[in-house]
Amino acid sequence: MITIAEYLLTRLEQLGVKHMFGVPGELNLAFSDIIEDFQKITWVGGCNELNSSYAADGYARVKQSLGVNLTIFGPGELSAMNGYAGAASEDVPLLHIVGIPSTTQQKEQSLVDHTLGDGRMDAFMNAAQQITYTREILTKKEEAASKIDRILIECVSRSHPGYLALPTDLITQKISSDSLKFPLSRYVTQNDPAAEKFVVDRITELFGKSMALNEDAVVLVDLGAIRHDVVKELYDLLKRTGFPVYSTPMGKTAIDETYERYGGVYWGSVLSNPEVKKRVESASIVLSIGSFLSDFNMGNFNYNIQADRLIELQHDRTNIQDIMFPGVGMKQLIPKLGAQLEHLCDVASKIPVPKYDNILPQGGTEAITHEWLWPRVGQFFAENDVILAETGCPQYGIVDVCLPKGSVLLSQMRWASIGWTVGATLGACLAIRESTPRRTVLFVGDGSIQMTVQELSSLIRVGVKPIIFVLNNSGYTTERLLHSESEQRKYPDIACWDYAGLLRVLGDFDNTLSRSYKARTKQELSALLDNEEFGKGDKFIELVEVFLDKLDAPWALKNWPKPGQV
Amino acid sequence: MITIAEYLLTRLEQLGVKHMFGVPGELNLAFSDIIEDFQKITWVGGCNELNSSYAADGYARVKQSLGVNLTIFGPGELSAMNGYAGAASEDVPLLHIVGIPSTTQQKEQSLVDHTLGDGRMDAFMNAAQQITYTREILTKKEEAASKIDRILIECVSRSHPGYLALPTDLITQKISSDSLKFPLSRYVTQNDPAAEKFVVDRITELFGKSMALNEDAVVLVDLGAIRHDVVKELYDLLKRTGFPVYSTPMGKTAIDETYERYGGVYWGSVLSNPEVKKRVESASIVLSIGSFLSDFNMGNFNYNIQADRLIELQHDRTNIQDIMFPGVGMKQLIPKLGAQLEHLCDVASKIPVPKYDNILPQGGTEAITHEWLWPRVGQFFAENDVILAETGCPQYGIVDVCLPKGSVLLSQMRWASIGWTVGATLGACLAIRESTPRRTVLFVGDGSIQMTVQELSSLIRVGVKPIIFVLNNSGYTTERLLHSESEQRKYPDIACWDYAGLLRVLGDFDNTLSRSYKARTKQELSALLDNEEFGKGDKFIELVEVFLDKLDAPWALKNWPKPGQV
């Protein structure tokens, strides 16, 4: 017999959780005691609940497995809601655990602190249900194990956040540990054999016809490939068939950008590199893997790929041209496609692929510009880097950077909650610490870092060493560019901070754990990027405040398509 | 004809709004343009949405009128949800305006950024509905004016937050300005004359009987008196009748604490001053005004006032002993009671009232203790100060401090979201700036200020001058005391910061706008409090980092009652 808390923690540990995040509070303290005594999971307290939720999300994204955030009922959970909504939007398996009043207090509708004062104990859970379908509230110990198991399987299998509410009186009650002998596993959509065969045959026929006519066919990879765990299967298909592969912005780093048949990023008709645009838009078949629709990802809905040329594989369905086959999921489908399409390899391997690279513009000003910055940091990146690009300029800038082998890009391109990367960097660094050392490199704008700045102190406190570039362009430059009226307005302005002074006051009092710099010119920044000690990312948190003009922006943001533009 | 945005702004201005808070984002930029051009309301951009929501709440509490916060759909509004939930819990009229996708995008379920990716455009509004009943979504211009008017009347009349969603395409559409000639006003529960007469007669009879027997009768004031606008009526009743008056913790400063018939704070059986306990608990009638039930406010539900001695007046009902009279509200009732009870003044004025004062303990350590701190700052306070006490130690400590005439205490004692005061201070200071100068004095713990620290920079940016005491006791001391197991745990620890260094990096680079201090001993703190320049509160933001032992706490927290303790 073990406590419900220990049961839950053991399940989390079985699913690979080694760090969990959150903020302690009266309604989760008994659980916090048990977490602290549980040897296999390390508790990481955050400065606030939203930041901790972002950390758990960053942790989950790097590991491609479960992240966990713990809050209290009411203020705590509501503060974290934007965090797990981001996970819902971008298919991240994130468990939000909430310490709630005891079952007796709930029954009596006791007006305990943290309630709305109207006796409704279920208001916050009902709000949570709008954000995440996967939800459990423990109500008696007899059901605890099965409810815990169910929500965990749902989270990891659907790659979706879940909400688990633990009443204070239940957490220390004892239940059988018997079922823990059988670890949980991620389930995969089991394809109906007949439907799957039909789909494979139809796709094979379309590819065969296309190759016979010497037309192009391309694969277009999106975030779903990563989230729904088909990257290995996809590589196998690509290598067996030789088809060219492109990614969307959100699909970046699903496929190594140095892979010889990788041609770069398709970002709709206006923003794509002209060669990429031509290759993708003229292909007679676009095999789309795990696509994620959103205006950023699609260059403001600017795709020029007609439905009759599109085959779309998703984790739970397949669309061939206009016809949908629900329940034919890509995890089982892709290997079969690989086998059927292998014979086309000779022809497919000859389909041209543009060269994708980082080309530094020559000349220009002394001052740092986005045009120069992004290819320049492209040269700075090294194999296996974990790169975080905040919403706003970093996101627009990073899309066109060719990233090195083994690197991972984290960027919240659909949910787009500014400030997310600061918390996510904490989680990412701790996920990395669990395995082979890799550098973590963060790009965050000044407006964004102001949202969540306190979590820099947690980086110091837990002893991780990211490299942080704060892009100081005096406010919300993205707004100034996306809404021309904003350009001369005051509301996109923000307070001026001494970003390079932050780490000292936030905990590194004697500058033994961090180094901070200010870079105002290309020369200053280049000198730093070329400095071997700086680039190591193992001794110090390195923070560079990079100064940019408030109306300078990455090309894509300056040229962001108007609705319907071609 | 004027734009819907101008219509809304004019209505806000008519209701007394001179500052509004929020964070600009793509979905509210067209509205932001119009706000910036609207001369009568000043836009105050915050570092994040939660903090701005807190600012709007603090603004509303100081003015006892509407506060306004503007965010975008999705990440922005969800980040602010904890903020307006606090307003719901503590009856604060706060309008949360959300810039949402256009009516066309909604109809098409367009997968724009900031959605959950499942086409549901109403998910966040549905979540909001769990928190605030008062909600409007503009869908066509013809209904805009009436929907805006309805939600504003609801907010101010019920003293409750409201949620107003503005699609991007509607905000600039033109509507008639005709109805603006008729300003909106707060409505009051109109009492049924017969029911009201019955209630007045019954209460008069009970008081008469009590006075005839020479028993005590007391008035107990709670937060509802402030929120539902009966303070003036209540003073009139108190002065006409001479009854003694006490307050709950949440009711503090509804009645001047220097009023001769004010006896102090009733905080349940265990925590109240023994004299107050005796007087309140032995009274044969307790006339309760606008009571707010919560475990903090009631000393962990530790009231010893039997129902047969209780008369409870609320804004929308009256309870006499066990009988409820719905629809008999106190705004109209209290003046009538005053007239009927006036004849008891001679007897009532003789009911003894304990002396309420700040008594400084003598001797003890050099180090600052809570036992010494709170009466000491009690001596520092001046008339008309606005005092903010954060959840945690400041809240437990401030209850027993006798506050000066005209002062206002803001403390989130039921919702208890830590970090709230930092944002609320911004709003409070701006509310004050609109009228007569007063000092603003904030007490915030280290764990709490870490939640919302960035908003200190907005204080610098807008040029307000609060006096800030950061109580540095190395973490979540309240947790250590409320849950004894926590005492030796690591999870209540937080990162060490240089609080006195914060204002410099957050914008006051050359220390021209602020002064920061560290106080480790009683002598150091006393010297500062006695310094006339320090106490002025008009030239600089003053920030004092006050060091306290991590297990020291106010008496009430150390002696917090166990459930059922007497």
Side-chain angles (χ1 to χ4, degrees), chain B residues 145-194:
Chain B
S146 64
K147 283 187 169 184
I148 288 169
D149 288 359
R150 195 199 68 78
I151 196 171
L152 290 174
I153 292 175
E154 280 288 296
C155 279
V156 297
S157 301
R158 298 175 55 176
S159 204
H160 195 80
Y163 175 100
L164 176 64
L166 305 180
T168 49
D169 56 330
L170 283 184
I171 197 75
T172 51
Q173 291 193 23
K174 300 231 168 171
I175 58 174
S176 162
S177 63
D178 278 358
S179 52
L180 292 173
K181 283 175 227 150
F182 310 99
L184 306 177
S185 59
R186 186 173 182 167
Y187 67 73
V188 167
T189 303
Q190 295 300 313
N191 296 348
D192 172 75

Side-chain angles (χ1 to χ4, degrees), chain A residues 33 113 118 133 295 483 491, chain B residues 33 113 118 120 133 295 491:
Chain A
D33 292 336
D113 291 346
D118 57 6
Y133 315 110
D295 51 355
H483 179 73
Y491 60 74
Chain B
D33 293 335
D113 292 347
D118 57 6
R120 289 184 306 139
Y133 315 109
D295 52 354
Y491 60 74

Side-chain angles (χ1 to χ4, degrees), chain B residues 230-448:
Chain B
V230 298
V231 170
K232 208 173 132 284
E233 289 80 1
L234 185 59
Y235 265 116
D236 184 65
L237 174 125
L238 291 170
K239 289 184 173 167
R240 287 166 86 170
T241 61
F243 282 110
V245 60
Y246 298 84
S247 82
T248 66
M250 292 182 89
K252 269 179 85 78
T253 67
I255 299 299
D256 262 332
E257 301 206 324
T258 56
Y259 171 56
E260 53 179 11
R261 300 292 291 156
Y262 178 74
V265 179
Y266 179 69
W267 201 5
S269 261
V270 174
L271 299 176
S272 301
N273 168 304
E275 270 301 300
V276 172
K277 170 184 160 75
K278 190 176 113 189
R279 289 289 156 198
V280 173
E281 295 185 354
S282 70
S284 62
I285 301 180
V286 175
L287 181 68
S288 153
I289 314 288
S291 81
F292 253 73
L293 308 185
S294 89
D295 52 354
F296 183 90
N297 200 34
M298 300 171 77
N300 209 13
F301 299 117
N302 198 247
Y303 270 25
N304 184 12
I305 303 172
Q306 275 75 43
D308 66 350
R309 299 189 288 119
L310 191 63
I311 300 168
E312 196 187 338
L313 313 192
Q314 294 284 9
H315 70 105
D316 57 355
R317 67 181 187 278
T318 301
N319 284 52
I320 301 177
Q321 296 158 328
D322 284 336
I323 308 164
M324 195 212 278
F325 300 87
V328 179
M330 62 188 171
K331 182 84 180 170
Q332 296 187 325
L333 180 64
I334 293 174
K336 286 167 193 156
L337 277 182
Q340 291 294 315
L341 299 177
E342 197 166 21
H343 70 283
L344 301 172
C345 188
D346 283 353
V347 191
S349 299
K350 295 201 181 75
I351 302 170
V353 175
K355 177 105 187 96
Y356 187 41
D357 211 346
N358 296 312
I359 297 155
L360 209 59
Q362 296 304 312
T365 58
E366 275 292 286
I368 298 163
T369 59
H370 282 280
E371 186 193 11
W372 175 86
L373 176 68
W374 294 103
R376 183 64 189 85
V377 297
Q379 297 173 345
F380 169 73
F381 292 138
E383 283 193 8
N384 301 317
D385 279 355
V386 173
I387 298 156
L388 292 104
E390 179 60 66
T391 296
C393 289
Q395 217 162 52
Y396 290 92
I398 203 75
V399 172
D400 288 325
V401 179
C402 179
L403 301 175
K405 192 173 165 62
S407 62
V408 169
L409 174 65
L410 305 187
S411 191
Q412 210 189 40
M413 292 181 179
R414 178 152 77 185
W415 185 244
S417 180
I418 70 171
W420 170 81
T421 53
V422 182
T425 295
L426 173 65
C429 287
L430 288 169
I432 291 165
R433 190 195 267 177
E434 295 173 6
S435 59
T436 326
R438 317 167 68 164
R439 295 195 309 188
T440 307
V441 187
L442 163 64
F443 297 88
V444 58
D446 50 354
S448 298

Side-chain angles (χ1 to χ4, degrees), chain A residues 226-515:
Chain A
I226 302 174
R227 293 288 185 268
H228 296 285
D229 192 27
V230 298
V231 170
K232 209 173 130 285
E233 289 79 1
L234 184 59
Y235 265 116
D236 184 64
L237 174 126
L238 291 171
K239 288 185 174 167
R240 287 166 86 172
T241 60
F243 283 110
V245 59
Y246 298 85
S247 83
T248 65
M250 292 182 89
K252 269 179 86 77
T253 68
I255 300 298
D256 262 332
E257 301 205 324
T258 56
Y259 172 55
E260 53 181 10
R261 302 290 292 156
Y262 178 75
V265 178
Y266 180 68
W267 201 6
S269 262
V270 175
L271 299 176
S272 302
N273 168 304
E275 270 301 300
V276 172
K277 170 184 160 76
K278 190 176 111 191
R279 288 288 154 198
V280 172
E281 296 186 352
S282 69
S284 62
I285 301 181
V286 175
L287 181 68
S288 153
I289 313 289
S291 81
F292 253 73
L293 309 185
S294 89
D295 51 355
F296 182 88
N297 200 33
M298 300 172 75
N300 209 12
F301 300 117
N302 199 249
Y303 271 24
N304 184 11
I305 303 172
Q306 275 75 43
D308 65 350
R309 298 188 288 119
L310 191 63
I311 300 168
E312 195 186 340
L313 312 192
Q314 294 283 9
H315 70 106
D316 57 353
R317 67 181 187 276
T318 302
N319 285 52
I320 301 177
Q321 295 158 331
D322 284 336
I323 308 164
M324 197 212 279
F325 301 87
V328 179
M330 62 187 172
K331 182 84 179 168
Q332 296 186 326
L333 179 65
I334 293 174
K336 285 165 193 159
L337 277 182
Q340 290 293 315
L341 299 177
E342 197 167 20
H343 70 282
L344 301 173
C345 187
D346 282 354
V347 191
S349 299
K350 295 202 181 74
I351 302 170
V353 175
K355 178 102 187 99
Y356 188 41
D357 211 348
N358 296 313
I359 297 153
L360 207 60
Q362 297 304 313
T365 59
E366 275 292 285
I368 298 163
T369 59
H370 282 280
E371 185 193 12
W372 174 87
L373 177 68
W374 295 103
R376 184 63 190 85
V377 297
Q379 297 173 345
F380 169 73
F381 292 139
E383 283 193 8
N384 302 315
D385 279 354
V386 173
I387 299 155
L388 292 104
E390 179 62 63
T391 296
C393 289
Q395 217 163 52
Y396 290 91
I398 203 75
V399 171
D400 288 325
V401 179
C402 180
L403 301 175
K405 192 173 164 61
S407 62
V408 169
L409 174 65
L410 305 186
S411 191
Q412 209 189 39
M413 292 181 180
R414 178 151 77 186
W415 186 244
S417 179
I418 70 171
W420 169 81
T421 54
V422 182
T425 294
L426 173 65
C429 287
L430 289 169
I432 291 165
R433 189 195 267 178
E434 294 173 7
S435 59
T436 326
R438 318 167 68 163
R439 295 196 309 187
T440 307
V441 187
L442 163 63
F443 296 89
V444 57
D446 50 355
S448 298
I449 200 173
Q450 291 199 0
M451 292 251 159
T452 48
V453 64
Q454 49 272 88
E455 230 50 51
L456 291 178
S457 78
S458 298
L459 301 173
I460 300 168
R461 194 171 166 227
V462 304
V464 292
K465 313 290 181 194
I467 301 169
I468 302 170
F469 296 93
V470 180
L471 308 189
N472 183 347
N473 51 15
S474 310
Y476 301 124
T477 290
T478 306
E479 291 174 8
R480 294 193 180 104
L481 275 283
L482 287 179
H483 179 73
S484 59
E485 173 85 7
S486 302
E487 198 178 302
Q488 298 308 326
R489 289 288 182 182
K490 281 178 284 180
Y491 60 74
D493 297 345
I494 59 173
C496 297
W497 289 11
D498 173 19
Y499 299 95
L502 283 167
L503 291 169
R504 199 200 61 74
V505 298
L506 297 182
D508 185 24
F509 300 155
D510 49 6
N511 285 302
T512 51
L513 303 169
S514 67
R515 296 276 180 269

Side-chain angles (χ1 to χ4, degrees), chain A residues 173-188:
Chain A
Q173 290 192 23
K174 300 231 168 171
I175 58 172
S176 163
S177 63
D178 278 358
S179 53
L180 292 173
K181 283 175 228 153
F182 309 100
L184 306 177
S185 59
R186 186 172 183 167
Y187 67 72
V188 167

Side-chain angles (χ1 to χ4, degrees), chain A residues 207-218:
Chain A
F207 269 94
K209 210 188 283 178
S210 171
M211 292 301 99
L213 293 168
N214 248 335
E215 292 169 341
D216 279 12
V218 302

